Amino acid sequence: MKKLFSNLTVQVLTAIALGIAVGALFPAFGAALKPVADTFISLIKMLITPIIFLTVVIGIAGMGSMKKVGRVGGKALLYFEIVTTLALAIGMLVANVTQPGAGVQATAQAVMQDSKKAEEASKFTSQAGEMNWVEFFTHMVPDNVVGAFAKGDILQVLLFSVLFGLALNRMGQQAQPLMKTFDRLSHAMFGVLAMVMKLAPLGAFGGMAFTIGKYGIATLLPLGKLMLVVYATMFLFIFGVLNLIMRYYGLRLMPYLRFIKEEILLVLGTSSSESALPRMIDKMERYGCSRSVAGLVIPTGYSFNLDGTSIYLSIAVIFLAQAFNIPLSFTQQLTLIAILVVTSKGAAGVTGSGFIVLASTLAATKVIPVESVALLLGVDRFMSEARAITNVIGNGIATLVVAKSEGEFDEARHQLALQGRSVPEELQPEPAALIPRVEVHA
């Protein structure tokens, strides 16, 4: 029994159950526990940028070829665009078939008349007006590297890490002393992460108690069909589309999900996919992917491969059109998919990004009133868990696909991971940057 409760999975599950009970029975107290969850997520965010920097630099510096770096990045981006576009299309198809917005017209009118909710929606509307793809690309370049690390801007840190790794790659043997230091720092950072993860049950408890305490189960009833459609679509996407992708590459979905179950439960409790980012890099290495591929694909996927967010956004747009009796032609729906492909990337790393993307899309099309997003304010938090979990699962599968296609997948480590055994020293993913290689200078 003692061994059972020392398991992180059991601890997080217990914490989630207690959080639901506390939020339901003592809503005021549950709502006041938000700082507990926020503090845990801040501890995780504290480690994200240094871990991304060290992992990406070590991986790229040791790839041995600039062409390989470009090939891995190109494959990852191509995969991201294909799968997220497919997720958007599936979301729209399901929403058109199931009609989740039918029958909520009265609720929609009542929400629009609620001045408080209209005021909250206007915040997202004003932010949406400032979002565009030009700003997105210019924002990727930090005007201050230290500032990028301090703010925890993943895209800016990722860009600097790639450039730094490429520079060390060109230095060859001269960079080896520095790379050894980086490798030791990387191990130290993951050691700190292991200590922080002991607080995961506390973070999951606080997050779930806050969600139930603040919003209450009753807020789900008017929009229950929407939630059911979103959750069912994401379930089908994972066990349908992503499962087929894994089978094509000779992998199985269920063993993979069991391997990352702790990360899935952590995201469920905290409603934040970022809480699992550092551990997913480590888990994908242990599952067989090379350090260079895992370190490059996972952080990039957090901005470009948001499968769950894509499904939610496409369903939400059709839902709002149905709720406000606004018919959308097939051409208009195709236009919405095209706009969402761009805008879903434009709010990466922004708090409340789901609403900002949705509002910016509605503002661009000028067919559905932007203020209509107020209808989703009450249930958005309850759907954020499904979005985040799908995003995490999808990013891990993207890493496996790129690693397999690049021949950067270690089957011996993979089998040990499936058996739940620790990886022996001789099979540990060796930092490629420390492997001597012959440099050819023109």
Side-chain angles (χ1 to χ4, degrees):
M1 185 65 71
K2 183 178 180 182
K3 185 178 180 181
L4 178 67
F5 280 97
S6 65
N7 182 280
L8 183 61
T9 303
V10 175
Q11 290 176 357
V12 173
L13 275 173
T14 304
I16 290 173
L18 289 173
I20 293 173
V22 168
L25 297 174
F26 311 101
F29 178 68
L33 291 176
K34 187 174 186 291
V36 175
D38 289 347
T39 302
F40 173 73
I41 294 174
S42 294
L43 284 170
I44 295 290
K45 286 183 175 181
M46 170 184 73
L47 298 170
I48 288 176
T49 51
I51 284 178
I52 286 178
F53 173 75
L54 292 168
T55 307
V56 172
V57 168
I58 291 172
I60 290 179
M63 279 190 177
S65 165
M66 299 292 188
K67 289 183 179 179
K68 185 175 180 182
V69 176
R71 192 170 65 243
V72 170
K75 282 183 179 179
L77 290 175
L78 178 62
Y79 174 90
F80 294 161
E81 289 308 310
I82 292 173
V83 176
T84 52
T85 302
L86 182 60
L88 287 167
I90 289 173
M92 286 203 166
L93 176 63
V94 171
N96 276 291
V97 172
T98 59
Q99 299 280 310
V104 296
Q105 284 77 13
T107 304
Q109 292 174 0
V111 167
M112 289 293 285
Q113 292 170 1
D114 188 329
S115 58
K116 183 179 179 181
K117 288 195 174 183
E119 182 181 338
E120 289 184 63
S122 68
K123 293 189 298 182
F124 298 107
T125 305
S126 61
Q127 292 180 62
E130 300 167 4
M131 295 295 298
N132 57 68
W133 65 271
V134 175
E135 180 182 319
F136 168 68
F137 283 111
T138 55
H139 176 73
M140 286 178 63
V141 182
D143 54 8
N144 185 312
V145 173
V146 177
F149 278 84
K151 290 184 292 184
D153 194 309
I154 294 177
L155 275 179
Q156 292 185 350
V157 171
L158 184 59
L159 176 64
F160 175 73
S161 303
V162 169
L163 294 175
F164 199 90
L166 290 172
L168 291 182
N169 184 290
R170 299 185 65 178
M171 288 174 63
Q173 295 298 318
Q174 296 178 4
Q176 296 308 308
L178 183 57
M179 294 313 301
K180 288 180 181 177
T181 301
F182 279 180
D183 185 58
R184 294 190 184 103
L185 283 173
S186 177
H187 280 86
M189 284 296 173
F190 278 109
V192 175
L193 177 63
M195 290 188 282
V196 170
M197 286 306 299
K198 293 185 183 298
L199 299 175
L202 196 59
F205 169 74
M208 192 58 68
F210 162 73
T211 300
I212 301 298
K214 181 174 176 61
Y215 299 102
I217 302 295
T219 60
L220 307 182
L221 299 179
L223 305 179
K225 187 176 180 181
L226 171 64
M227 287 192 59
L228 180 63
V229 169
V230 169
Y231 272 82
T233 305
M234 292 186 187
F235 180 87
L236 291 173
F237 182 79
I238 292 170
F239 288 92
V241 175
L242 296 183
N243 185 29
L244 288 174
I245 291 173
M246 290 196 74
R247 284 185 175 275
Y248 180 80
Y249 284 92
L251 297 165
R252 291 181 298 153
L253 179 65
M254 288 309 298
Y256 162 71
L257 294 180
R258 283 195 293 269
F259 187 72
I260 63 166
K261 63 181 181 298
E262 291 175 353
E263 288 68 36
I264 292 174
L265 289 173
L266 180 62
V267 170
L268 174 65
T270 61
S271 296
S272 170
S273 57
E274 281 190 338
S275 62
L277 193 158
R279 277 176 61 96
M280 281 299 292
I281 295 175
D282 181 52
K283 277 291 184 76
M284 287 301 98
E285 285 186 49
R286 288 165 52 193
Y287 205 64
C289 300
S290 69
R291 174 178 296 191
S292 55
V293 171
L296 188 59
V297 177
I298 290 289
T300 309
Y302 265 70
S303 294
F304 293 94
N305 188 42
L306 306 175
D307 300 335
T309 303
S310 298
I311 290 171
Y312 167 73
L313 289 172
S314 57
I315 293 177
V317 168
I318 302 299
F319 167 80
L320 291 176
Q322 294 167 355
F324 289 91
N325 289 314
I326 301 171
L328 294 176
S329 67
F330 180 69
T331 303
Q332 287 175 314
Q333 293 193 33
L334 286 179
T335 303
L336 282 168
I337 289 179
I339 294 173
L340 283 168
V341 166
V342 177
T343 54
S344 61
K345 312 297 186 296
V350 179
T351 302
S353 59
F355 268 98
I356 295 173
V357 169
L358 186 57
S360 62
T361 303
L362 299 182
T365 56
K366 294 182 173 61
V367 176
I368 304 169
V370 181
E371 293 75 17
S372 64
V373 297
L375 181 59
L376 301 171
L377 285 171
V379 296
D380 181 73
R381 177 81 186 190
F382 291 96
M383 291 187 284
S384 64
E385 289 93 347
R387 293 198 302 261
I389 288 172
T390 307
N391 290 342
V392 167
I393 292 172
N395 279 326
I397 292 175
T399 307
L400 292 170
V401 167
V402 175
K404 276 275 190 176
S405 66
E406 278 293 304
E408 295 280 340
F409 189 81
D410 190 322
E411 189 60 39
R413 271 193 286 129
H414 176 61
Q415 291 303 320
L416 284 170
L418 291 179
Q419 297 165 21
R421 293 162 55 190
S422 58
V423 181
E425 192 67 31
E426 62 270 17
L427 291 180
Q428 288 284 354
E430 186 175 8
L434 306 182
I435 302 174
R437 64 179 188 273
V438 178
E439 292 293 322
V440 179
H441 297 283

